[in-house]
Amino acid sequence: MSAVRSEARDSAWAPLAAPVFRALWIAQLVSNLGTWMQTVGAQWTLVGEPNAATLVSLVQTATTLPVMLLAIPSGVLADLVDRRRLLITAQSVMAALAAALAVLTATGHTTPLLLLTLLFLLGCGQALTGPAWQAIQPDLVPRNQIPAAAALGSMGMNVGRAVGPALAGMLVALSGPTLVFALNAVSFAGILVVLVRWRRPESDRGLPTERPIAALQAGLRFISASPAVRRVLLRCLLFVAPGSALWALLPVVAHDRLGLSSSGYGLLLGALGLGAVIGATQVARLRHTLRPTRLLAVAAVAFGIATVGAGAIHNEVVVLLLLVVGGFGWITGMSTMNSTMQLLLPGWVRARGLSVYQLVFMGGQALGSLLWGLAAGWVGSETALLAAAALLGLCAVSTLWLPVKVSSVDTTPSAHWPEPVLVFEPAPTDGPVLVLETYRVPDEMAADFVHAMARVGRSRQRTGAMEWRLFRDVGAADRYVEAFVVRSWAEHMIQHQVRLTAQDQAAEARVAQYTVGETHTLHLVAVPPPHPSGGLMRP
């Protein structure tokens, strides 16, 4: 009986048992449908204009360019402010913009410039909410259900991509684009209702809010000092860059090689969407038998097979079947990388880390699509697709020496540092702060100690240290001194109370195995230079 309950908790649909996640997932699915319907309506609005080809292509640019421009700032913002309130504000503004587009279109006041401007602003709203949406998932479901939640999120996006354009095509044909724009505005209502009713626990530690630039730098330091996170970003780029060839060249395959109409191209996209839905229902089961590294290899092989089919096979039915396999591979890879990132990132930096992941994903897809389009112009679409498939094969093989590891990372908060003993209270902006930690290490344990301290050094840098070094005292053979610098007293207090995790505590516990006696800690705050008037200048 317990085994049955455990399987139910880990199934593909398990996150839907959480009421808030279920409500948000349904609301987001409806909103995704509205977004894709809006895209079709916008394109249809512009097809009768002069230079229609250019204007229609700018629709995609207007909706995706904001993600490239705002991914990192939106991640910083989502870590600094209450994510629920950020989502409510952004969704409300987006609903108002969508409603304005519907009204302007109904009254005949929508010009190409106005349409593209409104689409760009709506894209900015999506860019601002992207990291926040992903960062709240660990607040909604247990840690072991995060992979399934990521897969369900990806499935919702693919269902919207597959069904939304088809619905929009029928509605536009019946009544024009105004109805499509109006339905998109209404689609935001469900999300707003769920977010307003959700009572997310607030945490107030009485610490000053980080400044945006300092928060950005802290996030980048975390990533640079986290090999596991950097590995996921590398694997994302290795998969997305060649994988973008199929998405970029599929219209050419449909029109030139298979001789299909626009509805036939929609059928090809539907096959990818069907594969994605199948993959979302199976990825949780696959995780019981395959580690994330193996799942990424399977994803690369599956999407490579679909890419070969699109580049070498002329039978429409066979291509459709292979695209189902490709859709399975795409969602398996995307959900695995997304969930792995969420599991590796502590709550205080989760949105910033996910925004970098989003930038790598979108940038790799955008640049890859451009390069594969140019390659197809030089050597033909068949050769370009076969080359991309070969690179996807290399991507799968590279998992043998470039694996991802998540099982050993515990991001549970752990405020295990004792509070410093103070004879005066530094101002929050005082700094930089130099922290010195003294260890006594027997000579026979020195090599193991130094090796263990390398992990501690990365821990210090992940949690806020701008610089870190380990020194040996030339006046005492067994004495080592660790030194690290933090930007300000406020950031050091945030490091004490917010940023430490069980992973950091484990690294320090390992060091303690090679030391004797008690460690001694000094906190030194930089003294500001003298002011010309005779006082001290504050930084």
Side-chain angles (χ1 to χ4, degrees):
M1 181 67 69
S2 61
V4 173
R5 281 197 293 264
S6 175
E7 184 176 351
R9 286 195 301 269
D10 296 336
S11 74
W13 309 104
L16 295 178
V20 177
F21 179 87
R22 180 175 64 250
L24 275 177
W25 185 82
I26 294 172
Q28 282 184 288
L29 176 61
V30 173
S31 184
N32 284 333
L33 288 170
T35 299
W36 282 100
M37 290 167 64
Q38 172 189 264
T39 299
V40 172
Q43 292 171 334
W44 186 259
T45 301
L46 297 172
V47 292
E49 298 288 335
N51 301 318
T54 301
L55 290 173
V56 169
S57 66
L58 286 175
V59 169
Q60 195 68 21
T61 303
T63 54
T64 57
L65 182 61
V67 177
M68 299 290 296
L69 298 176
L70 299 177
I72 302 298
S74 64
V76 173
L77 183 64
D79 277 333
L80 296 185
V81 303
D82 183 270
R83 291 165 185 162
R84 171 179 166 272
R85 293 177 181 174
L86 171 62
L87 290 170
I88 290 174
T89 302
Q91 294 291 318
S92 299
V93 173
M94 292 168 67
L97 290 171
L101 177 59
V103 171
L104 290 169
T105 304
T107 56
H109 291 88
T110 300
T111 64
L113 178 60
L114 181 58
L115 174 61
L116 293 173
T117 300
L118 289 172
L119 291 178
F120 179 81
L121 293 175
L122 284 162
C124 289
Q126 291 177 330
L128 286 173
T129 58
W133 274 125
Q134 297 184 63
I136 65 171
Q137 284 194 9
D139 297 332
L140 305 176
V141 298
R143 180 180 173 87
N144 66 304
Q145 292 179 6
I146 287 177
L152 286 170
S154 298
M155 182 179 74
M157 293 181 63
N158 280 278
V159 169
R161 175 185 290 179
V163 177
L167 286 176
M170 292 187 295
L171 293 175
V172 169
L174 290 173
S175 61
T178 301
L179 178 59
V180 170
F181 295 151
L183 289 175
N184 181 50
V186 174
S187 72
F188 290 99
I191 291 179
L192 285 170
V193 169
V194 177
L195 288 173
V196 169
R197 296 183 63 184
W198 176 35
R199 290 294 178 259
R200 180 172 180 257
E202 296 186 7
S203 95
D204 183 8
R205 300 177 182 266
L207 296 171
T209 302
E210 294 180 77
R211 295 180 178 179
I213 298 300
L216 172 61
Q217 293 172 338
L220 295 178
R221 277 197 301 270
F222 180 93
I223 292 172
S224 66
S226 179
V229 171
R230 296 201 311 271
R231 180 62 56 80
V232 176
L233 295 176
L234 175 61
R235 293 243 55 99
C236 177
L237 189 60
L238 291 176
F239 179 72
V240 168
S244 62
L246 181 59
W247 294 106
L249 300 178
L250 192 59
V252 179
V253 171
H255 184 270
D256 295 347
R257 295 189 60 252
L258 299 178
L260 300 177
S261 63
S262 58
S263 60
Y265 170 58
L267 193 61
L268 298 183
L269 288 177
L272 284 167
L274 175 62
V277 172
I278 295 173
T281 63
Q282 299 301 314
V283 70
R285 183 176 300 175
L286 289 174
R287 287 182 66 90
H288 286 296
T289 56
L290 298 176
R291 294 183 178 275
T293 299
R294 296 292 175 261
L295 281 174
L296 293 177
V298 169
V301 170
F303 205 70
I305 289 172
T307 305
V308 169
I313 296 176
H314 295 267
N315 186 290
E316 178 185 344
V317 175
V318 176
V319 172
L320 284 170
L321 293 175
L322 293 179
L323 287 178
V324 173
V325 175
F328 175 91
W330 183 262
I331 198 170
T332 299
M334 290 297 98
S335 63
T336 299
M337 289 184 287
N338 187 292
S339 62
T340 302
M341 282 292 291
Q342 294 192 40
L343 292 171
L344 290 173
L345 294 167
W348 69 269
V349 75
R350 187 176 297 130
R352 277 166 278 187
L354 289 170
S355 70
V356 174
Y357 167 76
Q358 186 179 26
L359 182 62
V360 171
F361 171 72
M362 295 295 294
Q365 197 168 27
L367 183 60
S369 297
L370 173 63
L371 294 178
W372 289 116
L374 294 174
W378 293 331
V379 300
S381 60
E382 294 184 11
T383 304
L385 286 168
L386 293 177
L391 291 177
L392 284 166
L394 290 176
C395 173
V397 174
S398 70
T399 58
L400 296 174
W401 62 86
L402 292 174
V404 295
K405 297 180 180 179
V406 67
S407 58
S408 61
V409 178
D410 186 352
T411 59
T412 305
S414 173
H416 57 274
W417 283 1
E419 291 298 312
V421 178
L422 305 177
V423 295
F424 72 94
E425 181 72 33
T429 56
D430 283 353
V433 178
L434 172 63
V435 182
L436 302 176
E437 192 91 14
T438 304
Y439 305 89
R440 291 183 58 204
V441 184
D443 186 61
E444 66 273 14
M445 296 184 178
D448 291 330
F449 169 79
V450 172
H451 181 75
M453 282 301 295
R455 288 179 176 268
V456 171
R458 289 194 293 271
S459 165
R460 306 295 195 233
Q461 291 170 312
R462 283 196 302 269
T463 55
M466 299 186 296
E467 300 177 36
W468 179 90
R469 290 296 297 270
L470 180 64
F471 299 88
R472 187 174 184 182
D473 189 344
V474 297
D478 65 344
R479 184 179 298 156
Y480 290 78
V481 178
E482 174 195 10
F484 62 92
V485 178
V486 185
R487 172 188 294 272
S488 67
W489 184 253
E491 183 160 6
H492 185 50
M493 289 298 96
I494 293 173
Q495 186 181 28
H496 262 264
Q497 300 178 28
V498 178
R499 295 179 179 175
L500 295 174
T501 67
Q503 180 189 10
D504 304 311
Q505 187 177 22
E508 295 172 20
R510 184 178 180 187
V511 166
Q513 298 175 6
Y514 309 117
T515 64
V516 295
E518 295 185 358
T519 60
H520 299 279
T521 306
L522 286 176
H523 292 82
L524 307 177
V525 179
V527 177
H531 193 276
S533 64
L536 291 179
M537 296 177 61
R538 285 289 178 186

